Amino acid sequence: AAAPKPLPPFANWKTADAMIVHSSSTIELKRSAFGSSVITPSEKLFIRNNLPTPDAAIVADRDAWVLQVEGVKKPASFSLKQLRAMGVESVTTVLQCSGNGRGFFPSKPSGTPWQVGAAGCVVWSGVPVKALIEACGGVADGMAFMTGTGGEKLPEGVDPKSLIVERSMPLKAFEDAILAWELNGSPLPLAHGGPLRLIVPGYTGVNNIKYIKRLAFTSTQTEAKIQKHGYRITAAGQESSPNDPSVWEMPVKSWITAPLADNGELSAGQTVIQGVAFGGVHAVKLVEVSADGGKSWHKARFFGPDMGKYAWRQFSVTLPLSAGAHKLVSRATDTAGNVQPEQRLENAHGYNNNSWADHAVSVTVA
Ligand code: MSS
């Protein structure tokens, strides 16, 4: 096998042996490394950057970072120092790349072949977007979307719309959104969007704009390519069109994190099976586990702290495993009654894979 790629300098503080480095801008957590504590340590949180990471100079003087707010009754700019004085909230969310699970698509869509590790459950702290809107006299009339713009410097001589990381989401997304400056109790690292990041609980990774420089309420979606043609559920084999559904709210999903085939020798008998489950914008309500590939199911129990509806829950069930091969799968249901499906929703770019069959773990018991 080829030697594993090293961590890029901006991410050299990650736990190297827990990560799979696909490229310098796509780094995922190994399935074996989620652990059994609900929070994913920052050192193990995946990284996905669509553009080169900004210079570390932007986190040298965090308080000087400026956010422009538009599409409100009183448009204004605020420094991070001013934002800190406007209020504080803390929310635990699952941050998951839209393409997590793409590696299980037999059609091999282009893009990073993420398995399960382009996801983590982390705590963000910052000012509620609601407080910001209030300070700006409310959302201007006729606005239907919240649009966030990333602060990356774009190369000269190219149409900015072709590269800029700018995403629009339904206006209601502002309700629980925050502008975060802290991750898991520490100043937000550059790799995760420091000094300031838009967190939209329950929405896929791409909507959580790093190094946010502009938050706008808009009547239409941005014309940026990443919105217009990127991150849409497009029929397999088709070109993306702005009429295809955008990747916004995450669907209900779960996966097993232990035991795994490469965990060493498993011996026959009672076996603790565990994993994580979440429901996107809804809390997860139920997880069932099967040790026979989905023929018979057993209700799992949740363990560990409940960090709120946007966090994942850890689940476990103890089942007797006989000698031989077993296919372990988990199936989650959210409080809205959505059940994790057996099959993935086929789509051209490999987004939103929540198929329980695709996330099966094969173990061999001695
Ligand atoms: N933001 C910005 N500004 N830039 C970029 O690139 N990316 C996305 C988000 N945000 C970006 C942003 C994506 S795409 C994702 S996933 C996320 O982010 C990630 O995160 P981290 O922190 O983990 O790295 Mo897919 O859906």
Side-chain angles (χ1 to χ4, degrees):
K5 294 192 185 92
L7 290 163
F10 78 96
N12 61 10
W13 52 276
K14 294 276 165 179
T15 307
D17 63 359
M19 311 307 291
I20 302 167
V21 181
H22 293 283
S23 75
S24 61
S25 56
T26 50
I27 302 168
E28 80 169 290
L29 181 60
K30 290 179 182 168
R31 191 172 193 146
S32 56
F34 281 90
S36 306
S37 308
V38 63
I39 299 302
T40 308
S42 303
E43 292 75 16
K44 294 185 176 181
L45 183 61
F46 80 102
I47 292 177
R48 167 31 168 164
N49 273 346
N50 299 55
L51 291 174
T53 309
D55 197 276
I58 70 169
V59 289
D61 183 3
R62 292 170 177 268
D63 279 354
W65 184 259
V66 174
L67 175 76
Q68 205 180 318
V69 186
E70 294 171 13
V72 287
K73 301 253 161 75
K74 294 181 283 179
S77 288
F78 299 95
S79 67
L80 177 43
K81 184 173 180 169
Q82 289 173 308
L83 292 174
R84 287 188 209 273
M86 288 170 60
V88 66
E89 188 48 90
S90 183
V91 63
T92 305
T93 74
V94 174
L95 180 72
Q96 179 186 222
C97 180
S98 315
N100 198 29
R102 181 186 287 126
F104 302 128
F105 277 70
S107 56
K108 305 229 175 299
S110 66
T112 306
W114 306 108
Q115 298 169 46
V116 295
C121 181
V122 293
V123 187
W124 311 95
S125 304
V127 65
V129 170
K130 258 186 176 167
L132 185 69
I133 292 174
E134 226 168 89
C136 295
V139 173
D141 295 336
M143 301 310 177
F145 298 94
M146 174 168 77
T147 299
T149 310
E152 287 107 333
K153 278 217 172 62
L154 303 175
E156 309 269 328
V158 287
D159 177 6
K161 293 210 169 349
S162 68
L163 287 178
I164 199 162
V165 177
E166 185 170 86
R167 290 281 302 171
S168 300
M169 49 221 102
L171 183 62
K172 65 173 185 198
F174 81 74
E175 291 284 345
D176 286 339
I178 71 168
L179 289 156
W181 50 72
E182 199 177 291
L183 169 66
N184 288 343
S186 295
L188 183 56
L190 179 70
H192 296 295
L196 189 68
R197 179 175 196 172
L198 177 64
I199 296 301
V200 189
Y203 281 57
T204 63
V206 69
N207 302 290
N208 294 259
I209 303 294
K210 307 191 208 187
Y211 349 99
I212 188 168
K213 66 169 185 192
R214 174 175 169 266
L215 185 70
F217 297 91
T218 53
S219 56
T220 56
Q221 297 180 37
T222 165
E223 294 286 308
K225 185 168 176 242
I226 196 171
Q227 179 82 15
K228 223 175 160 186
H229 296 282
Y231 295 86
R232 289 186 182 266
I233 303 290
T234 301
Q238 299 292 300
E239 286 292 315
S240 281
S241 124
N243 298 321
D244 297 332
S246 201
V247 176
W248 282 327
E249 295 181 0
M250 294 190 285
V252 62
K253 185 170 180 179
S254 69
W255 59 83
I256 286 165
T257 55
L260 303 178
D262 60 5
N263 242 10
E265 285 280 300
L266 262 184
S267 38
Q270 294 294 329
T271 306
V272 177
I273 299 167
Q274 57 174 301
V276 294
F278 55 98
V281 298
H282 308 288
V284 65
K285 188 175 72 182
L286 169 72
V287 176
E288 298 153 291
V289 170
S290 168
D292 54 14
K295 286 189 204 81
S296 61
W297 294 93
H298 309 267
K299 190 178 173 202
R301 79 180 175 89
F302 292 125
F303 72 96
D306 180 349
M307 303 298 285
K309 68 174 176 176
Y310 299 121
W312 63 34
R313 290 304 309 268
Q314 306 175 89
F315 65 83
S316 95
V317 65
T318 303
L319 297 178
L321 295 188
S322 53
H326 299 268
K327 198 172 230 190
L328 310 180
V329 289
S330 63
R331 178 174 72 186
T333 301
D334 70 19
T335 52
N338 301 302
V339 182
Q340 191 179 346
E342 176 169 6
Q343 296 304 333
R344 78 199 79 82
L345 173 66
E346 289 298 342
N347 65 92
H349 304 293
Y351 294 132
N352 281 2
N353 189 354
N354 67 338
S355 150
W356 58 253
D358 280 1
H359 292 78
V361 167
S362 296
V363 295
T364 307
V365 174

